[in-house]
Amino acid sequence: MTSFGRHHELEKISPEKRVRSMYKRILVANRGEIALRIIRACRELGVETVAIFSEADRGAAYLDLADEAFCVGPAKGSDSYRKIDRVISAAEIGNVQAIHPGYGFLAENAHFNEVCRSCKIDFIGPTPEAMARLGDKNSARKLAREAKVPVVPGSDGLIREESEAMRIAHEIGFPVLVKASAGGGGRGMRVALNDLALKSALSQAAAEAEAAFGDGSIYLEKYVEHPRHVEVQVLADHHGNVVHLWERDCSTQRRHQKLIEESPSPHLTQETRVAICEAAVRLVKACGYTNAGTVEFIVDQTGNFYFIEVNARIQVEHPVSEMITGIDLIKSQIRVAAGEPLPFTQADIVPRGAVIECRINAEDPAKNFQPSPGKIEKMYVPGGFGVRFDSHAHPGYTVSPHYDSMIGKLIVHQPTRNEAIECMLRALDELRIEGIKTTIPLHREILRHAAFVEGRVDTTFVERSGLTQ
Ligand code: MV4
C-alpha cells in the first residue's frame, strides 16, 4: 500500500515550511547560572540536555542535571565555550536537534548561527540574517528609522569625512557622541564637547573600533545627558506573532556593568511606557526578528525616548520580565524555535506588582570591583514569599578567575516597589557567601540610598553617589 501525498522530499522543503516538533535533545552552549537555567527549563519540557564544559568547570554540580556532558577544551573561553568547531562536534556526537547559546560566548555570533543552520541544527534565537542586521548598530539605527521608531538626532548613516561630522554637530549642537557601528554595550563610544574634541574623537573612535572589531565604521548622535536606560523584552514566533513583556529599567549600573534591574521603570508615565513597548514591537516586526530579544532605549529627563540597540539574545536580567508577567522566557524560546505559535496575545500579558533583581558578583567593591575568585566556604540562600535565587553556586563551589564574575541573581517580586525594596534588603541580609568578596554590601547601600528609594535613578547615579569610590 502506498499512501499518496504523504511522501515528502525533505530537500525540497524550505526551512520555513519544515514541520517542526518539540526537540528530543538540546545542547546547552554555555556555563554557570544560565546553563543551569536552560537545563532546568528543558527538564520541565521533557527535553534531554547535552552540556559542555571547560577543564575549569569539570565536575561542576549543575552538569549532573544534564543527560550528557562533553569537555570542549581548556579554561580560556576562547579555547572552549567560544570554539565553534568544538561546540558543533559536541552537538553532533550528542545527537541534538537544537543549540541554546545562553548569553555571552557564541550567543550573538551570526557566523556560528549560520554554521548551525548548515549543520541542520536549530539555533535557539533569531536567524543569522536578523542577527547580522541588528549587530551592526548603524544598520539597526536605519531599520529603526524606517520602522518609525525614534532614534537620537544625528548622522543619517556612517560618517565618511570630518567635514560631514562637523556640519552635523553644528546642526544638532554639542555635546555629541561618536559611536562605532560594530560597538555596543558602551564599547567604542566617545563624547565631544566642541569642534577640536570632535576631530580627535572621530579618529580615536575609528582607530579603536578598527583594532577591536576589525571595522572602523562610525556614526554620530546627539549626546543625551543623564539618560535612564529602559529596555523592552520581546518575544516573536515563526507565525508572525510578536509580543512585548513590558520594560526593565537598568539605569543602576557602573561602567556599563548593570548592578540592579527592575520593572516597572519608576517614573515612566503609562503613556510613555506603552509608546516605548509598542515601538519595540514595531521594530521587531519590521526586521523579521524571531525568538526572544531586547530593544534598548535611553529616556531623557523630559520623557523622550530614543532607540539605542537590540540585544539579539536572552539577557542576564530576563527573570525580571518573567516574574512581572508570569511567562517562562527560556521555555518560550525553546517552544518558538521548535515552531510552536505563542500561546498568548499581547492582551494576556498583564504586568503584576514590582520586581527587583540584584546581580551578585564575586568582586570586591572596596577594591575597585576587582574580581574575587576562590572557594565559597559557607553559603546560605534566602527564600520566602516572592524570593528567587538563580545561581549555580553552592557551599564548596570554587569561583573560577577565567569567566565573568557574576555568580548569581537575587530576584524579588512584591505588590509594590517599596515592598520589593524591603523584601530585597531582607533577602540580601539572609544571603551569606563566605570565603570570597561579593557585591552584596554595595546592593544594601544602593537600596537604602534616598535617590534609589525615590526612583530618581539615571545611568550616572551610582558613579555620582560616591558609593563606589
Ligand atoms: C548614548 C548615551 C547618551 N547619548 N547615546 C551606552 C551603552 C550603549 N548601549 C549606548 N550607551 C549610551 N548611549 C546617546 N546618544 C548614553 C549611553 C550610556 C548608557 C546607556 C545605557 C545604559 C548605561 C549607559 C551608561 C553610560 C552611557
Side-chain angles (χ1 to χ4, degrees):
M1 270 286 275
T2 312
S3 51
F4 290 104
R6 299 184 67 84
H7 293 226
H8 305 282
E9 296 200 42
L10 291 175
E11 300 73 25
K12 291 187 185 159
I13 300 176
S14 68
E16 286 70 34
K17 297 267 174 60
R18 184 162 45 93
V19 179
R20 306 184 199 203
S21 56
M22 183 41 66
Y23 306 116
K24 184 172 180 296
R25 220 165 150 82
I26 286 175
L27 180 112
V28 182
N30 216 298
R31 64 173 301 281
E33 75 87 19
I34 193 64
L36 174 55
R37 172 73 186 85
I38 299 163
I39 292 168
R40 283 173 169 162
C42 288
R43 288 169 68 98
E44 291 175 23
L45 286 171
V47 173
E48 294 172 4
T49 51
V50 175
I52 58 172
F53 60 92
S54 70
E55 280 162 22
D57 288 329
R58 185 186 301 281
Y62 67 88
L63 295 170
D64 292 346
L65 293 174
D67 293 278
E68 220 178 331
F70 293 100
C71 182
V72 288
K76 253 178 80 180
S78 54
D79 296 330
S80 50
Y81 297 107
R82 279 182 202 275
K83 269 240 180 287
I84 294 178
D85 53 350
R86 294 183 178 191
V87 174
I88 294 288
S89 296
E92 296 285 8
I93 299 165
N95 197 25
V96 302
Q97 294 92 47
I99 296 182
H100 196 306
Y103 52 71
F105 297 125
L106 297 169
E108 288 183 280
N109 186 319
H111 171 64
F112 173 67
N113 191 339
E114 216 166 83
V115 172
C116 289
R117 177 195 276 166
S118 62
C119 294
K120 299 188 165 36
I121 298 167
D122 284 356
F123 177 90
I124 301 175
T127 62
E129 291 76 20
M131 187 175 269
R133 278 199 297 269
L134 293 166
D136 181 287
K137 308 302 161 204
N138 177 56
S139 141
R141 185 171 145 86
K142 190 161 168 264
L143 286 166
R145 266 216 191 90
E146 287 165 6
K148 305 250 184 303
V149 171
V151 298
V152 190
S155 58
D156 245 349
L158 297 177
I159 298 288
R160 273 148 303 167
E161 47 191 306
E162 202 179 87
S163 61
E164 199 183 346
M166 292 294 179
R167 182 180 54 76
I168 296 162
H170 282 269
E171 254 171 51
I172 61 179
F174 287 101
V176 296
L177 195 54
V178 181
K179 290 188 174 183
S181 200
R187 295 168 313 157
M189 302 196 321
R190 276 232 161 30
V191 188
L193 298 171
N194 53 50
D195 277 2
L196 190 66
L198 178 56
K199 281 186 188 179
S200 57
L202 289 167
S203 53
Q204 282 177 8
E208 207 175 274
E210 181 64 50
F213 320 111
D215 175 3
S217 311
I218 50 169
Y219 61 98
L220 202 66
E221 280 182 0
K222 172 88 183 166
Y223 180 58
V224 178
E225 291 177 88
H226 296 272
R228 289 167 182 265
H229 175 168
V230 177
E231 57 184 34
V232 180
Q233 178 68 55
V234 294
L235 202 47
D237 67 18
H238 290 273
H239 305 271
N241 304 304
V242 182
V243 295
H244 66 75
L245 281 77
W246 300 94
E247 85 285 7
R248 298 185 289 256
D249 191 308
C250 309
S251 301
T252 307
Q253 59 91 43
R254 174 188 173 270
R255 298 190 185 174
H256 301 292
Q257 296 298 312
K258 291 168 185 167
L259 294 165
I260 298 175
E261 302 97 352
E262 60 178 309
S263 189
S265 173
H267 293 309
L268 263 197
T269 64
Q270 183 60 15
E271 193 188 346
T272 305
R273 164 175 300 119
V274 169
I276 293 184
C277 293
E278 287 178 352
V281 167
R282 264 202 315 281
L283 177 57
V284 164
K285 283 186 174 160
C287 50
Y289 189 94
T290 46
N291 215 281
T294 298
V295 186
E296 279 190 30
F297 295 90
I298 48 176
V299 181
D300 73 14
Q301 284 158 315
T302 58
N304 298 311
F305 63 89
Y306 308 97
F307 166 76
I308 291 292
E309 56 192 66
V310 174
N311 297 312
R313 59 165 191 279
I314 195 71
Q315 286 186 281
V316 170
E317 60 271 30
H318 74 273
V320 172
S321 304
E322 294 186 321
M323 302 317 285
I324 210 79
T325 63
I327 293 171
D328 184 318
L329 276 163
I330 308 293
K331 280 197 211 169
S332 299
Q333 282 192 291
I334 297 168
R335 289 179 168 139
V336 156
E340 290 184 22
L342 290 174
F344 35 71
T345 66
Q346 190 62 64
D348 299 324
I349 307 176
V350 181
R352 272 184 51 246
V355 177
I356 300 178
E357 171 180 278
C358 287
R359 293 191 187 195
I360 311 300
N361 293 351
E363 292 170 356
D364 189 351
K367 287 187 181 153
N368 198 33
F369 294 83
Q370 157 188 311
S372 177
K375 186 172 174 189
I376 297 176
E377 299 291 350
K378 284 187 180 175
M379 180 166 165
Y380 302 93
V381 173
F385 185 86
V387 176
R388 167 176 173 181
F389 187 56
D390 273 23
S391 173
H392 62 297
H394 54 81
Y397 177 78
T398 298
V399 179
S400 167
H402 294 99
Y403 311 107
D404 188 279
S405 60
M406 197 187 71
I407 51 167
K409 304 176 302 203
L410 184 55
I411 305 121
V412 302
H413 186 197
Q414 293 288 321
T416 65
R417 187 172 187 271
N418 282 337
E419 285 167 293
I421 292 173
E422 290 307 324
C423 179
M424 182 61 88
L425 283 167
R426 183 275 288 176
L428 285 167
D429 223 25
E430 282 183 28
L431 176 60
R432 301 288 169 93
I433 300 176
E434 293 176 17
I436 57 169
K437 296 275 193 261
T438 75
T439 46
I440 295 170
L442 172 66
H443 286 307
R444 299 185 53 76
E445 290 187 80
I446 293 173
L447 287 159
R448 288 183 208 280
H449 196 285
F452 185 87
V453 172
E454 289 158 26
R456 289 186 284 108
V457 279
D458 62 50
T459 54
T460 66
F461 155 65
V462 174
E463 280 138 317
R464 282 184 300 120
S465 69
L467 293 173
T468 60
Q469 293 318 299

